[in-house]
Amino acid sequence: MTNIKKMLGAGLAVATLFGFAACGSSTNNSAKKAADSAPVQLTVWGSADDQKDGGWIKTVEAEFKKENPNVTFKNAVVEPPDAAKAVKQDAKAAADVFLFPNDQLGDLVKAGAIGELSDDATKQVKEQNEDTLIKSVTAQDGKLYGVPYTGNTWFMYYNKSKFSADDVKSLDKMLEKGKVSFDLANAWYLPGFYLDGNMTLFGENGNDAKAGMKLSDKAAEVTKYIATKLVGNEKHFVLDGNGRGLAGLKDGSVDAMFSGSWDAAKVKDALKDNYAAAALPTFKTESGEHQMKSFAGSKAVAYNTNTKSPEMAAKFAAFLGSKKSQQIAFEKEGAIPSDKSLADSVKAEPAAVAQMETIAKTSVLQPAIPEMGKFWDPVQAFGTSISTGKITGDNAAAQTAEFAKGLEK
């Protein structure tokens, strides 16, 4: 709260059986027509909301059947975050088509339970999405295995009676004019201050385990900025966590907070006519200006390589991630589309615009390799030390150096 030409392994064999690899002969054409019209049942996994009557997935299934009347659907509730675990338990009994968050991609590929996209579907994904989201469904082998239908990141909500559209481009300007809330102790949010070149995770594409996790020699300046400009600045800063930022927006004690699309309805209710959202601002340290950047990823549609109907499963997966499907998901469920061409159709919703702009301009791909599991605990510990005042302007350099050593182990 998203026409197959090449298949992996068994998929190729099935494609050949169905006559897709043959050309010209009437016998093969007849076999292809028979295969195309043979009854096919696809099991589809998704959340309960996505699969309710009149909801996104069932509406798209009905659209798909218009061109593929031989297909019927069986829906089951498996939430996207649970997909990899459920598929790995028994890949052969799992759904033909399922939704998953991209950080599960490595596990799904390793389990041999997710199908490589066709040339046509790969082209579709590259035309629809920003580079960050294309990379989000690209495995370590360089191949694409999912069709993104929505992005996953965080951005900024703000009270537009306190800040202008120009003010929110600079965190420093915001700290002069109003009160900003940020969850420094949260390991998903804190890196936002370092990811503009001062923290690199597993190489350029985030999938090179040997490249490791590193901080730049200017990272200490960033730590000092957080410790001196935010922590202890009671007049202009509130430490978020446990809903403090949202509560502050509602009672007027906070003018801006950082969160994602899941909080859009609550923020809108809190700010009423002053509701606004934007991509992330910049901030200045001794060495110059830095751009805040959030981790970004996607929720995507995949097909199971163990399906009995690989051609149709792959075709429906691409359709469920198509522009038309994403438009339906936004209208029915409020899912912010990843498709760039839908930007104009969602411009009335500030959170949608902010998410799309953040992914395009102020985000980096969250690494999805297993080694990323070693990142979260030390970052949370470091953020907690900053937020509680144990790290100060005076010891920021030494503490950041220790933090860097911990990441590099």
Side-chain angles (χ1 to χ4, degrees):
M1 67 141 326
T2 165
N3 41 14
I4 288 299
K5 289 165 59 181
K6 69 178 183 182
M7 306 295 295
L8 274 181
L12 274 170
V14 176
T16 305
L17 267 175
F18 283 177
F20 281 78
C23 324
S25 78
S26 58
T27 301
N28 283 327
N29 285 337
S30 297
K32 180 180 183 302
K33 289 180 180 178
D36 285 345
S37 61
V40 172
Q41 183 181 73
L42 296 178
T43 299
V44 180
W45 282 352
S47 70
D49 284 344
D50 290 337
Q51 302 200 62
K52 63 189 178 186
D53 288 339
W56 166 46
I57 288 181
K58 287 203 172 179
T59 299
V60 175
E61 288 172 350
E63 288 292 320
F64 188 77
K65 282 180 64 66
K66 291 177 182 178
E67 297 296 326
N68 303 275
N70 60 315
V71 179
T72 57
F73 292 96
K74 179 182 178 181
N75 296 85
V77 175
V78 176
E79 300 287 338
D82 300 326
K85 181 180 179 181
V87 170
K88 287 192 297 181
Q89 285 178 345
D90 188 348
K92 291 183 178 179
D96 303 291
V97 176
F98 56 89
L99 312 179
F100 72 102
N102 79 287
D103 60 359
Q104 297 181 356
L105 179 60
D107 286 343
L108 288 165
V109 172
K110 186 177 180 180
I114 187 170
E116 178 191 347
L117 299 189
S118 69
D119 289 342
D120 285 347
T122 296
K123 181 181 178 182
Q124 173 186 323
V125 169
K126 291 183 176 180
E127 288 177 348
Q128 286 181 288
N129 298 282
E130 298 289 353
D131 187 57
T132 298
L133 296 194
I134 297 170
K135 289 179 179 178
S136 77
V137 292
T138 304
Q140 286 181 281
D141 60 8
K143 299 172 183 177
L144 275 67
Y145 288 90
V147 183
Y149 63 91
T150 188
N152 182 35
T153 192
W154 53 269
F155 44 88
M156 181 169 60
Y157 290 105
Y158 68 96
N159 184 329
K160 64 183 179 182
S161 73
K162 297 292 183 72
F163 303 120
S164 70
D166 194 54
D167 290 336
V168 298
K169 295 177 182 178
S170 166
L171 182 59
D172 298 297
K173 176 65 71 174
M174 295 175 71
L175 290 169
E176 291 174 6
K177 297 184 67 174
K179 206 160 190 174
V180 177
S181 177
F182 192 92
D183 191 355
L184 295 171
N186 189 309
W188 199 47
Y189 289 90
L190 179 66
F193 286 96
Y194 296 88
L195 289 170
D196 189 23
N198 292 309
M199 175 184 281
T200 55
L201 304 173
F202 309 112
E204 182 179 354
N205 295 319
N207 60 8
D208 181 2
K210 293 181 180 179
M213 302 181 284
K214 299 175 182 177
L215 297 182
S216 77
D217 56 3
K218 292 186 174 63
E221 292 182 15
V222 177
T223 304
K224 182 179 178 181
Y225 175 91
I226 300 169
T228 58
K229 300 292 185 180
L230 301 182
V231 179
N233 183 0
E234 294 182 4
K235 186 177 179 180
H236 296 289
F237 179 75
V238 172
L239 182 66
D240 201 354
N242 297 319
R244 285 190 293 269
L246 185 59
L249 287 179
K250 195 164 188 175
D251 67 22
S253 62
V254 166
D255 304 313
M257 65 172 278
F258 296 79
S259 186
S261 59
W262 51 90
D263 272 334
K266 293 178 181 178
V267 174
K268 189 172 185 178
D269 180 64
L271 293 176
K272 304 294 193 293
D273 292 341
N274 292 317
Y275 169 59
L280 304 183
T282 61
F283 64 97
K284 287 184 179 180
T285 68
E286 295 99 313
S287 61
E289 191 171 74
H290 304 273
Q291 174 66 61
M292 288 184 70
K293 291 188 175 181
S294 56
F295 279 133
S298 68
K299 289 183 181 178
V301 190
Y303 73 95
N304 187 344
T305 50
N306 296 280
T307 177
K308 295 178 180 178
S309 305
E311 319 295 341
M312 199 60 76
K315 185 177 180 181
F316 180 66
F319 189 76
L320 193 55
S322 67
K323 176 181 176 179
K324 183 176 184 178
S325 176
Q326 289 187 38
Q327 182 73 56
I328 294 170
F330 178 69
E331 292 170 354
K332 290 186 172 290
E333 312 295 343
I336 297 172
S338 66
D339 192 306
K340 296 179 292 185
S341 68
L342 291 173
D344 284 344
S345 67
V346 302
K347 63 183 179 182
E349 172 46 58
V353 175
Q355 177 167 298
M356 295 182 87
E357 289 186 351
T358 297
I359 289 172
K361 301 174 184 177
T362 65
S363 72
V364 298
L365 175 66
Q366 179 178 316
I369 61 176
E371 289 76 9
M372 188 65 179
K374 300 176 181 178
F375 174 79
W376 306 109
D377 286 346
V379 175
Q380 182 176 345
F382 187 64
T384 299
S385 293
I386 297 176
S387 67
T388 57
K390 291 181 180 179
I391 296 177
T392 65
D394 292 335
N395 67 16
Q399 291 293 319
T400 304
E402 288 299 311
F403 176 46
K405 288 179 184 178
L407 288 178
E408 291 174 4
K409 285 182 180 179

